């Protein structure tokens, strides 16, 4: 496999902590290999910064396979960068050209305060799940698994929503910083399944309530969230959430 | 040090139920008075934390990531085993037990493995009730597939995201208990030490990864669920933050480390493309069902794969193992890939790869047929390599994947330090010298949902514990020691980065403590590790300060521990003068290159006791003899 290298200009958001003001810094990297991943390019930049006594750029990551949802950079204004259905950790430099300028920012939202540079605090997502994103089944109390048959199509639909990786790109992309796609996906996953029925009303009311308390905005159907979602969660999750919410209000 | 496995007496099938009947119980009132620390929120930690909190204990849970949901377990793809026998193909608890113990090459405890097979069915029930969307048939009932060469279909799966879905189930159960106030939840806090008072584990020291604050936490018991140590090799399929720090620091506080040399190397990963490589990506093993593995016969063959005619291709697995062919177990496939590439037949720019070719499968089933089966994997491959595997063969190479070794535990999953329990990949318990596919998820959840909640209660009911108290001087001592280490690392200001040191350490291990090992190589490795470790402490360059978010400082602390563990791995591999499971000693193989096990001398668990570090790592070997009462060890053969 032959590979070619390129020069990339970077404009990266630097911010010491949540209290301080941030700013863009520019860097230039030569010899960027087309087979590098985007995050590996940042690793290489950091190695250079460390040797020059600079401050390495902080960004979140763990699996680097697009499944843990840790990474969440906004690249040239787009959450997770240019490639459709791809988390930034799976993005490779062959998607760029020699001489390109790349602007990298954190996932900005009032509910996601910046911790340092490109790292943000997403614990609001944990609290939304905590409010009701589960089926209350104590360990040991479950019935035999095949006593709960689930229509295959329904199970697949539920699965499509269950694949959310909780990265927060939907929030970063939304002009209102709404967390509706994230919240709606969890509600739709559980409410579609028979296991989720007993708590369906309480779940949707509590989760939507928590989402609002965390300071996420409302959804006005821009659909930017769906466009950037690295796992392709459908915006129909939001419609289902609204419907379930209204039903739950009247059921109560 | 005394190692008592505490395996209950009696017939294999009755050990666990008998033990449960004899276990001491705590009344709900009493449970409320007790607190437990759970470190880690992977399958083992999240399931343990949720279950213990449901029982009434007060639980404090910690993890490195910004959310418990991001633990490395999230990345598991293939599936989870259980002997439900839904397909009616003759599976049973006994068979699952037998396959697992045989797969481990008879280097695990019979009683533990049997219990694992026994509780596996309950895991599936629990997960389904939580809403885990396992694959289903048209009937709406659960679907199974055959995985990792098993003769029965016992693997439950959720597309290629089984780990994600199981983890989300456990994480959600945990978050529910956070909501009730029974769990204090602490993401982005890393455990740096274990606090032992009067010989008992009584708490931990953590560093807050956002503020840098060092904190003390006390409890009646500590449960370690901190995952495996594959990242000691630098490159592995593990998530970047996976590490050995928590387990290693417990080891230095007295917990025995068992079988550190048992490392599983997965045969089908995407090869390294350059020095900048930061991790390796697993391609599902299922690809070997249809792909054919080969290399050009002539090392100098420069032709493109599709220009190499049949007679110039070496289908080495099919030729050497006619009955299993491309489906030989992981260790055999990995070893053979190394052999052919060492002989110069490797392909690609680095020569460190072999072909996995779908040409014949596509001719047979059509491109659509193959796309239906493996479409997402093919897309992933193309995304990473920029090559289209429908047109050119995939290039694959083995990569470090899973560590069977870990902290020694007894039947109750308690280490030799009373009050310190260890679950999931962090312990050594159930996989012997080789783990079968789809059995790590099973073990993590078995430990957390169905073993610990009982055995930990037994320990607490049985002990006369003083009130947990962070004012005890042992907490201050441990905290100062962790702090001093951080200060020392920051003060070195050397000329080589943490990543460079880690990569160099990984290269030593991969070359000499990797797929195959020899006496000479291991001795050399020990020497090389010592030299590099010394240089690390003189010349590492850690940027920034301790009082804020500083990922390279986190890495420096972890790499410092990897440097010590690495030496123990080589030491352990050196003393085990046999080949078993994933541990291949070049001196102990047949003329055809097959592993030769030595049951007479090496049928034991090697449990190491830390004795000090003085340029050289001092460790004392203790042996827990493995007795096979119920199965007879046989030699594996895949010819
Ligand atoms: C790519 C891949 C695919 C796999 N596929 C399968 C499969 O199909 N089937 C199967 O059975 N197995 C599979 N495995 C293996 C399996 O995923 C793991 O063995 C298992 O998930 C480990 O779970 P765990 O709970 O023990 O640890 P982990 O999931 O690794 O969790 C460790 C936890 O500990 C925390 N932690 C670590 N150190 C500290 C510290 N010092 N302080 C605080 N917290 C800490 C972490 O934050 C994390 O929460 C796969 C593994 C890989 C790499
Ligand atoms: S690092 Fe895990 S999804 Fe990107």
């Amino acid at each position: 496999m032959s590979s070619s290298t390129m020069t990339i200009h970077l404009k990266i958001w630097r911010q010491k902590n949540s209290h301080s003001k941030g700013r863009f810094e520019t860097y230039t990297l030569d010899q960027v290999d087309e087979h590098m991943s985007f995050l590996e390019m940042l690793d290489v930049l950091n190695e250079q910064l460390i040797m020059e006594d600079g401050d390495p750029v902080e960004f979140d990551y763990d699996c680097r396979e697009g499944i843990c949802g840790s990474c969440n950079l906004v690249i040239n204004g787009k959450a997770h960068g240019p490639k459709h259905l791809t988390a930034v950790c799976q993005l490779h430099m062959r998607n760029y050209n020699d001489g390109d300028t790349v602007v990298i920012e954190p996932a900005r939202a009032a509910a996601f305060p910046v911790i340092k540079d490109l790292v943000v605090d997403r614990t609001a997502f944990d609290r939304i799940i905590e409010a009701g994103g589960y089926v209350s089944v104590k360990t040991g109390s479950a019935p035999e698994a095949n006593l709960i048959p689930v229509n295959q199509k329904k199970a697949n639909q539920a699965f499509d929503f269950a694949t959310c990786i909780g990265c927060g790109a939907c929030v970063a992309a939304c002009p209102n910083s709404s967390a509706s796609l994230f919240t709606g996906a969890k509600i739709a996953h559980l409410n579609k399944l028979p296991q989720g029925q007993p708590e369906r009303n309480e779940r949707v009311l509590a989760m939507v309530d928590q989402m609002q308390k965390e300071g996420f905005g409302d959804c006005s159907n821009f659909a930017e969230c769906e466009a950037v979602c690295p796992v392709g969660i459908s915006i129909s999750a939001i419609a289902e959430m609204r419907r379930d919410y209204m039903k739950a209000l009247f059921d109560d | 040090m005394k190692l008592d496995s505490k395996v209950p007496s009696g017939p294999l099938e009755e050990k666990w139920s008998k033990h449960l009947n004899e276990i001491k119980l705590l009344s709900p009132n009493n449970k409320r008075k007790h607190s437990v620390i759970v470190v880690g929120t992977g399958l083992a930690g999240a399931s343990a934390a949720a279950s213990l909190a449901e029982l009434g204990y007060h639980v404090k849970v910690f993890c490195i990531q910004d959310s418990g949901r991001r633990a490395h377990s999230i990345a598991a793809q293939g599936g989870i085993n259980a002997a439900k026998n839904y397909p009616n193909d003759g599976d049973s608890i006994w068979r699952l037990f037998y396959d697992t113990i045989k797969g481990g090459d008879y280097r695990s405890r019979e009683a533990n493995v049997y219990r694992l097979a026994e509780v596996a069915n309950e895991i599936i029930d629990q997960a389904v009730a939580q809403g885990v969307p396992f694959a289903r048939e048209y009937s709406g009932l659960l679907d199974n597939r055959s995985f990792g060469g098993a003769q029965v279909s016992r693997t439950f799966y959720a597309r290629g995201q089984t780990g994600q879905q199981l983890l989300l189930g456990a994480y959600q159960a945990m978050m529910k208990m956070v909501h009730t106030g029974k769990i204090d939840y602490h993401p982005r806090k890393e455990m740096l030490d274990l606090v032992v008072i009067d010989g008992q584990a009584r708490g931990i020291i953590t560093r807050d990864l956002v503020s840098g604050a060092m904190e003390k936490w006390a409890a009646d018991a500590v449960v370690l669920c901190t995952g495996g140590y594959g990242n000691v090799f630098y490159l592995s399929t593990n998530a970047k933050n996976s590490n050995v720090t928590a387990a290693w620091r417990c080891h230095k506080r007295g917990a025995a480390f068992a079988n550190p040399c048992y490392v599983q190397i997965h045969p089908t990963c995407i090869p390294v493309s350059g020095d900048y490589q930061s991790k390796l990506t697993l391609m599902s093993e299922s690809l070997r069902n249809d792909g054919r593995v080969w290399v050009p016969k002539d090392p100098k063959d420069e032709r493109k794969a599709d220009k190499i005619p049949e007679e110039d291709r070496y289908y080495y697995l099919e030729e050497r193992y006619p009955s299993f062919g491309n489906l030989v177990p992981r260790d055999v496939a990995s070893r053979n890939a190394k052999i052919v590439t060492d002989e110069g037949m490797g392909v690609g720019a680095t020569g460190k790869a072999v072909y996995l070719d779908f040409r014949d499968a596509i001719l047979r089933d059509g491109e659509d047929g193959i796309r239906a089966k493996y479409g997402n994997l093919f897309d992933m491959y193309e995304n990473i390599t920029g090559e289209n595997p429908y047109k050119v063969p995939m290039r694959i190479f083995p990569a470090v994947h899973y560590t069977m070794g870990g902290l020694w535990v007894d039947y109750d999953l308690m280490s030799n330090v009373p009050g310190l329990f260890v679950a999931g990949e962090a312990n050594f318990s159930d996989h012997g010298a080789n783990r079968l596919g789809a059995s790590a998820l099973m073990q993590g959840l078995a430990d957390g949902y169905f073993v610990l909640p009982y055995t930990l209660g037994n320990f607490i009911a049985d002990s006369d514990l003083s009130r947990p108290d962070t004012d005890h001087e042992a907490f201050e001592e441990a905290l100062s020691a962790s702090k001093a280490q951080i200060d020392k690392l920051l003060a070195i200001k050397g000329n080589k980065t943490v990543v460079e040191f880690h990569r160099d350490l990984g290269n030593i291990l991969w070359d000499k403590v990797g797929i195959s090992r020899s006496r000479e190589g291991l001795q050399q490795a020990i020497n090389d590790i010592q030299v590099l470790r010394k240089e690390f402490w003189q010349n590492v360059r850690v940027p920034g300060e301790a009082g804020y978010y500083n990922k390279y400082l986190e890495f420096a602390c972890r790499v410092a521990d990897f440097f010590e563990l690495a030496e123990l791995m080589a030491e352990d591999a050196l003393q085990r003068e046999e080949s078993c499971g994933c541990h291949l000693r070049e001196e102990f193989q047949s003329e055809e290159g097959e592993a030769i096990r030595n049951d007479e001398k090496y049928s034991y668990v090697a449990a190491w006791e830390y004795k000090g570090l003085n340029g050289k790592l001092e460790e004392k070997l203790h042996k827990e003899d493995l007795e096979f009462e119920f199965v007879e060890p046989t030699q594996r053969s895949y010819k």
Side-chain angles (χ1 to χ4, degrees):
Chain A
M1 183 171 63
S2 59
S3 58
S4 63
T5 61
M6 50 192 142
T7 297
I8 299 285
H9 305 287
L10 296 165
K11 251 180 96 178
I12 302 179
W13 184 259
R14 306 302 310 261
Q15 183 171 339
K16 222 171 155 112
N17 53 46
S18 56
H19 315 299
S20 62
K21 267 179 80 176
R23 62 188 154 36
F24 281 106
E25 291 272 349
T26 55
Y27 307 91
T28 294
L29 274 181
D30 302 317
Q31 308 276 319
V32 174
D33 191 297
E34 58 168 336
H35 295 303
M36 270 182 191
S37 74
F38 194 88
L39 299 189
E40 284 167 349
M41 174 194 61
L42 291 180
D43 293 342
V44 170
L45 170 70
N46 278 346
E47 290 295 288
Q48 289 183 10
L49 289 175
I50 291 169
M51 289 318 289
E52 291 160 3
D53 261 337
D55 191 15
V57 179
E58 298 288 3
F59 55 102
D60 253 329
Y61 57 86
D62 198 16
C63 73
R64 295 201 172 187
E65 309 194 344
I67 190 76
C68 75
S70 293
C71 64
N72 62 343
L73 304 178
V74 174
I75 302 171
N76 292 342
K78 194 149 181 240
H80 288 300
K83 206 161 175 224
H84 188 51
L85 292 177
T86 305
V88 58
C89 61
Q90 297 171 293
L91 180 67
H92 282 71
M93 293 312 293
R94 69 180 75 88
N95 293 291
Y96 291 89
N97 298 313
D98 192 25
D100 276 358
T101 296
V102 182
V103 183
I104 311 175
E105 293 169 87
R108 297 182 198 273
F112 286 172
V114 171
I115 288 174
K116 189 167 188 300
D117 301 335
L118 306 169
V119 177
V120 300
D121 180 343
R122 287 170 289 186
T123 47
F125 273 10
D126 275 338
R127 291 186 291 271
I128 292 174
I129 298 296
E130 193 192 316
Y134 40 75
V135 175
S136 300
V137 47
K138 281 191 181 163
T139 303
S141 62
E144 199 324 291
N146 260 349
L147 287 177
I148 317 176
V150 184
N151 172 281
Q152 197 194 42
K153 212 167 129 201
K154 270 261 154 71
N156 274 328
Q157 288 169 349
F159 204 138
D160 290 339
F161 294 115
T163 57
C164 166
I165 60 173
C167 61
C170 46
V171 175
C174 176
N176 303 347
S177 298
S178 171
S180 291
L181 194 66
F182 168 80
T183 312
K186 185 45 60 189
I187 293 170
H189 158 210
L190 296 174
N191 284 6
K192 281 206 174 303
L193 294 172
Q195 299 92 305
Q197 296 317 308
E199 295 167 287
R200 66 177 298 145
N201 290 347
E202 291 80 358
R203 177 179 305 118
V204 67
L205 294 175
M207 290 179 74
V208 169
D209 206 35
Q210 188 65 35
M211 175 175 80
Q212 284 161 349
K213 270 195 214 142
E214 295 290 347
F216 292 107
D218 287 330
C219 167
S220 9
N221 297 323
F222 288 110
E224 298 289 342
C225 52
E226 188 185 62
V228 299
C229 177
V231 292
I233 303 282
S234 155
I235 197 169
S236 65
I238 300 179
E240 297 209 18
M241 174 174 78
R242 286 184 173 141
R243 203 180 51 225
D244 283 352
Y245 187 81
M246 294 314 285
K247 258 174 83 183
L249 280 181
F250 291 113
D251 264 11
D252 259 14
Chain B
M1 179 189 287
K2 223 179 104 254
L3 298 178
D4 178 0
S5 68
K6 298 213 205 98
V7 171
S9 59
L12 192 57
E13 297 83 354
E14 289 168 24
K15 285 180 193 289
W16 180 232
S17 49
K18 178 168 163 257
H19 192 53
L20 286 179
N21 288 336
E22 288 167 0
I23 257 172
K24 289 220 174 89
L25 299 177
L26 277 173
S27 68
N29 236 342
N30 261 331
K31 289 202 190 89
R32 222 168 287 148
K33 291 185 200 140
H34 289 284
S35 60
V36 180
I37 285 171
V38 176
V39 190
T41 59
L43 288 173
S47 59
S51 307
L52 289 165
E54 283 165 10
L55 287 173
Y57 298 103
H58 194 88
V59 178
K60 300 183 183 78
V61 63
F62 300 83
C63 70
I64 294 174
Q65 292 80 4
D66 67 329
S67 166
R69 65 181 289 152
R70 306 200 205 285
H72 163 61
S73 294
I74 200 94
Q77 304 170 352
I80 177 168
N81 284 334
K84 285 274 193 191
N85 194 29
Y86 288 155
N88 196 27
D89 55 1
D91 201 8
S92 64
I93 289 171
W94 175 268
R95 279 188 200 273
L96 174 55
F97 153 73
Y98 184 77
D99 289 351
T100 309
I101 206 146
K102 177 178 175 223
D105 219 3
Y106 303 96
R107 290 292 173 265
S108 37
R109 262 188 223 137
E110 280 181 327
N112 284 59
V113 180
Y114 193 86
R115 174 180 62 194
L116 174 65
E118 219 176 334
V119 302
N121 286 343
E122 283 180 82
I123 299 172
I124 306 303
D125 299 342
Q126 187 66 30
V128 166
Q130 289 168 344
V132 169
F134 283 126
R136 290 179 181 270
E137 300 177 340
Y138 285 121
S139 61
L141 300 174
L142 292 161
D143 189 23
N144 287 118
R145 65 178 170 201
S146 152
F147 195 72
Q151 285 166 309
V152 291
S153 293
R154 61 160 71 103
T155 303
F156 293 79
Y157 63 103
R159 297 188 190 156
Q161 290 139 269
T162 316
Q164 180 197 31
Q165 295 307 316
L166 286 169
L167 183 62
L168 290 180
Y171 155 79
Q172 288 162 197
M174 177 176 84
M175 295 315 284
K176 181 190 111 200
M177 296 315 291
V178 171
H179 196 56
T180 65
K182 291 304 288 183
I183 297 182
D184 292 336
Y185 170 62
H186 301 285
R188 290 212 209 256
K189 280 197 206 294
E190 179 160 10
M191 168 177 167
L192 291 183
D193 209 349
L194 177 75
V195 179
V196 180
I197 299 174
D198 299 331
Q200 303 231 0
R202 294 310 305 267
I204 63 169
I205 302 297
T206 61
R207 177 170 181 270
D208 184 302
L209 301 180
V210 175
S211 69
M214 306 285 287
E215 291 163 295
K216 312 172 204 171
W217 308 90
D220 293 314
V222 175
V223 183
L224 213 68
C225 306
T226 46
Y229 51 86
N231 275 353
V232 66
F233 287 82
Y234 185 63
L235 290 181
S236 84
T237 62
N238 289 10
K240 289 295 288 174
N241 289 299
S242 298
N243 71 93
V244 78
T245 288
W248 189 254
R249 307 263 168 121
C250 290
H251 176 55
K252 292 177 91 169
R253 293 276 175 197
F257 208 109
N259 300 334
C261 81
Y262 291 160
V263 176
Q264 180 168 78
I265 297 182
H266 198 290
T268 52
C269 301
I270 298 179
V272 174
S273 66
D275 275 348
Y276 48 78
Q277 189 95 25
S278 61
K279 78 154 292 178
L280 295 170
T281 303
L282 176 77
M283 296 298 292
S284 168
E285 189 152 42
S286 60
L287 291 169
R288 285 196 281 144
N289 287 322
D290 286 296
R292 298 180 68 193
V293 177
W294 66 276
V295 288
K297 277 186 185 153
D298 179 2
K300 290 192 285 294
D301 199 329
E302 298 274 304
R303 288 173 289 182
K304 290 215 161 106
D306 59 350
K307 298 278 175 302
I308 302 183
E310 211 54 19
E311 63 273 15
D312 292 340
R313 297 175 172 206
Y314 182 21
Y315 293 95
Y316 57 92
L317 290 178
E318 295 173 22
E319 283 185 32
R320 303 188 62 180
Y321 305 91
S323 60
F324 278 72
N326 294 299
L327 293 174
V328 291
R330 291 178 180 179
D331 53 333
V332 180
S334 293
R335 196 181 309 143
N336 281 281
K338 178 171 158 53
I339 293 172
V340 295
T341 51
D342 282 353
E343 286 169 5
M345 289 179 274
V347 301
T350 61
K352 294 271 179 241
V354 299
Y355 287 131
L356 179 63
D357 197 341
F358 292 86
R359 183 195 64 184
D360 298 345
I362 290 171
L363 281 176
R364 186 188 65 218
D365 300 345
E367 209 172 292
D368 287 343
I370 293 302
R371 184 169 288 113
K373 267 193 193 162
Y374 308 113
N376 58 344
L377 293 170
F378 276 46
D379 290 348
M380 180 165 93
Y381 181 86
E382 179 165 9
N383 183 38
I384 293 176
T385 63
E387 289 176 357
N388 177 351
Y390 295 101
K391 302 277 174 260
V392 296
M394 286 186 180
R395 287 170 300 107
I396 54 160
F397 203 59
V400 170
H401 182 53
Y402 180 90
T403 51
M404 281 73 69
L407 292 182
W408 183 90
V409 288
D410 64 16
Y411 188 69
D412 284 343
L413 302 184
M414 189 163 83
S415 73
N416 58 305
V417 177
L420 174 66
F421 290 78
V422 192
E425 195 173 337
N427 74 25
F428 88 107
S429 72
D430 296 352
H431 308 293
N434 176 41
R435 175 182 70 86
L436 291 184
S439 60
L441 302 184
M442 169 170 77
Q443 182 227 333
L445 290 176
D447 290 357
Y449 283 135
F450 298 111
V451 180
L452 274 175
Y454 304 108
T455 59
L456 191 132
N458 186 41
F459 163 78
I460 289 181
D462 221 12
S463 321
D464 187 16
L465 293 161
S466 57
R467 284 192 70 78
D469 179 10
T470 54
D471 287 338
H472 193 284
E473 60 194 21
F475 278 91
E476 198 47 49
E477 182 266 322
L479 187 142
S480 313
S482 299
K483 225 167 158 235
Q485 196 204 33
I486 289 175
D487 292 342
K488 193 170 163 192
L489 283 166
L490 286 166
I492 299 169
K493 298 200 188 314
N495 286 314
K496 203 166 144 180
T497 65
V498 177
V499 173
E500 286 175 274
F501 273 109
H502 195 176
R503 200 186 284 130
D504 290 351
L505 174 66
N507 284 336
I508 299 175
L509 288 175
W510 179 250
D511 286 345
K512 305 196 172 76
V513 198
I515 295 177
S516 79
R517 297 127 182 224
S518 69
R519 186 176 303 119
E520 210 183 310
L522 289 165
Q523 281 161 344
Q524 186 63 47
I526 291 172
N527 185 63
D528 293 352
I529 293 164
Q530 288 169 354
V531 171
L532 192 64
R533 185 170 61 219
K534 188 164 166 214
E535 193 199 331
F536 174 81
W537 282 104
Q538 288 166 349
N539 196 28
V540 71
R541 188 185 192 95
V542 185
E545 289 163 35
Y548 50 79
Y549 191 95
N550 184 346
K551 212 160 182 86
Y552 288 89
L553 173 61
E554 294 170 28
F555 282 137
C557 292
R558 295 176 198 154
V559 172
D561 293 325
F562 281 143
F563 263 112
E564 296 174 15
L565 166 76
E567 186 174 342
L568 185 61
M569 289 167 69
E571 199 65 62
D572 187 44
L574 188 61
Q575 64 82 29
R576 190 166 283 282
E577 300 213 308
E578 65 164 348
S579 296
C580 63
C582 297
H583 170 65
L584 182 93
R585 279 287 299 266
E586 286 162 13
E587 304 91 327
F588 305 99
Q589 51 183 336
S590 69
E591 289 198 348
E592 296 100 60
E594 296 313 303
I596 299 178
R597 218 175 56 216
N598 182 345
D599 289 342
E600 222 159 275
K601 282 185 75 180
Y602 293 96
S603 184
Y604 60 73
V605 175
W608 297 88
E609 179 185 5
Y610 179 79
K611 289 287 188 189
L613 182 71
N614 196 347
K616 181 181 175 337
L617 184 70
E618 309 282 349
E619 298 265 350
K620 183 166 178 223
L621 175 63
H622 299 263
K623 298 174 182 175
E624 180 201 329
D625 286 322
L626 291 168
E627 270 149 50
F628 293 91
E629 252 187 282
F630 304 95
V631 294
E632 182 163 6
T634 52
Q635 284 286 355
R636 297 188 307 162
S637 168
Y638 299 95
K639 278 282 170 189

